[in-house]
Amino acid sequence: MQEQLKAFDQEVNEFVDYMFGDRDPRVRGWLMLDSYLPTFALTMLYLLFICLGTMFMKNRPALSLRGLLIVYNFGITVLSFYMLIELILATWEGNYNLQCQNLTSAGEADIRVARVLWWYYFSKVIEFADTVFFVLRKKNNQITFLHVYHHASMFNIWWCVMNWIPCGQSFFGPTLNSFIHILMYSYYGLSVIPSMRKYLWWKKYLTQAQLIQFLFTITHTLSAAVKPCGFPFGCLTFQFSYMATLVVLFINFYVKTYRKASSKANVKEIPLVTEIKNGFHKDYLKEINGALKKKAQ
């Protein structure tokens, strides 16, 4: 069985190498990067857990998990803060070009960027816990196509990024995303504490911030395509296409969420005109009664 698994692993990796070419030798031997099977297997387990977990929890009470959620969300916030600061320092050290940066010219700074981006890749499997908590808390309305697609695809895409383009132009999206995740996971962590909810003013801006992030990343990608610097053009094309799908899905989510909220607010503001008594609307009867009282006085 072990020999068969090794043979299958070799075949998969040979196919991947055939599709994408030679890998970056600077990241060989790094945890989970030499073989695609761990990333693929964890993604399959993630999808399987969603299916089986929701069925298992269907007739069971939702779990609270308050303490675990606080630790988890603040843990991701701290990791995101570390990645943001380290990416800024590493790219500054390497004198990275914001418009377009190749994969080799910054020397040791490129390795420093790659180390941070490995943590970014690994954080994507940690973030599978977002969905695990939704399942255990029976928040099935949160397990949307956008949510699952984003989590599953990012983990696999970043395995490819780390093997072929682990530095250079790849730094930009994770830098923005780390900042967004500081806002997002700090909100999630604080929202678990009831006394803090009234202070969380930035919730409504999170989806807008994510959309702005995607648009900036698309702009950055196009800038490297228009004025190339040696970064692989195929990778730029893929990144543009993937980010475009996220923009479409997030806009759809934003419109549905906030249009629904706006509709509910409008319904509350519109006075009910069906409150009739003896053939008259109650507001009309109030007017008549008021006039009669003034006359009697």
Side-chain angles (χ1 to χ4, degrees):
M1 182 65 181
Q2 189 175 0
E3 292 300 321
Q4 290 176 332
L5 185 61
K6 281 185 179 179
F8 178 66
D9 180 49
Q10 185 176 350
E11 287 179 10
V12 168
N13 284 288
E14 285 176 356
F15 173 75
V16 172
D17 290 343
Y18 170 77
M19 290 292 293
F20 297 110
D22 295 334
R23 304 187 194 191
D24 194 311
R26 294 173 293 183
V27 299
R28 297 312 296 262
W30 291 18
L31 183 63
M32 293 176 60
L33 293 188
D34 285 353
S35 172
Y36 177 57
L37 285 188
T39 299
F40 178 76
L42 286 168
T43 305
M44 291 300 104
L45 284 173
Y46 168 71
L47 297 174
L48 187 64
F49 179 85
I50 294 172
C51 297
L52 298 182
T54 49
M55 291 169 59
F56 178 79
M57 292 298 296
K58 186 175 182 180
N59 298 315
R60 289 173 172 80
L63 303 179
S64 172
L65 306 176
R66 179 177 294 178
L68 183 57
L69 285 168
I70 292 172
V71 172
Y72 168 74
N73 284 302
F74 285 122
I76 297 291
T77 302
V78 171
L79 177 59
S80 299
F81 184 76
Y82 159 74
M83 292 189 293
L84 174 64
I85 298 302
E86 185 65 8
L87 280 169
I88 291 171
L89 293 176
T91 52
W92 183 270
E93 175 194 326
N95 196 26
Y96 265 39
N97 187 324
L98 186 61
Q99 184 271 322
C100 183
Q101 178 66 33
N102 63 37
L103 294 165
T104 57
S105 63
E108 285 300 314
D110 282 333
I111 303 297
R112 187 177 177 184
V113 170
R115 288 196 188 102
V116 187
L117 294 186
W118 181 89
W119 276 107
Y120 185 76
Y121 153 72
F122 191 71
S123 73
K124 298 308 160 192
V125 71
I126 298 174
E127 289 166 17
F128 282 174
D130 291 3
T131 319
V132 171
F133 294 140
F134 284 153
V135 171
L136 297 178
R137 297 170 69 211
K138 299 184 76 169
K139 302 282 187 182
N140 294 345
N141 62 310
Q142 304 279 0
I143 309 173
T144 61
F145 172 78
L146 167 60
H147 176 88
V148 176
Y149 167 73
H150 183 51
H151 277 67
S153 60
M154 283 290 283
F155 183 44
N156 288 268
I157 287 169
W158 272 91
W159 180 84
C160 294
V161 170
M162 287 308 303
N163 270 287
W164 282 276
I165 48 172
C167 53
Q169 191 79 355
S170 302
F171 87 95
F172 188 78
T175 305
L176 289 182
N177 193 237
S178 295
F179 174 71
I180 297 299
H181 277 192
I182 292 170
L183 301 179
M184 194 168 74
Y185 283 98
S186 62
Y187 166 78
Y188 292 154
L190 291 170
S191 67
V192 179
I193 307 169
S195 61
M196 294 299 297
R197 288 171 189 164
K198 59 184 176 182
Y199 302 110
L200 304 180
W201 53 268
W202 65 94
K203 176 188 176 181
K204 63 181 179 180
Y205 300 112
L206 288 176
T207 304
Q208 295 176 13
Q210 286 174 307
L211 282 168
I212 291 169
Q213 168 202 191
F214 298 144
L215 292 174
F216 276 167
T217 304
I218 287 173
T219 303
H220 184 248
T221 302
L222 290 175
S223 73
V226 171
K227 191 178 178 183
C229 61
F231 195 86
F233 183 78
C235 296
L236 296 174
T237 304
F238 176 81
Q239 184 171 19
F240 171 80
S241 304
Y242 179 70
M243 284 294 156
T245 67
L246 292 182
V247 168
V248 171
L249 289 170
F250 268 85
I251 288 176
N252 180 60
F253 166 79
Y254 183 83
V255 169
K256 281 185 176 180
T257 301
Y258 291 97
R259 181 180 290 174
K260 189 183 293 183
S262 177
S263 299
K264 286 181 180 177
N266 290 337
V267 167
K268 287 180 182 178
E269 290 172 7
I270 297 172
L272 295 176
V273 295
T274 55
E275 299 178 35
I276 305 296
K277 187 175 181 180
N278 296 331
F280 296 96
H281 187 268
K282 71 173 188 177
D283 292 339
Y284 176 73
L285 291 175
K286 283 181 183 177
E287 296 268 345
I288 296 295
N289 289 336
L292 290 173
K293 282 181 183 177
K294 285 182 181 178
K295 203 169 186 180
Q297 289 173 355

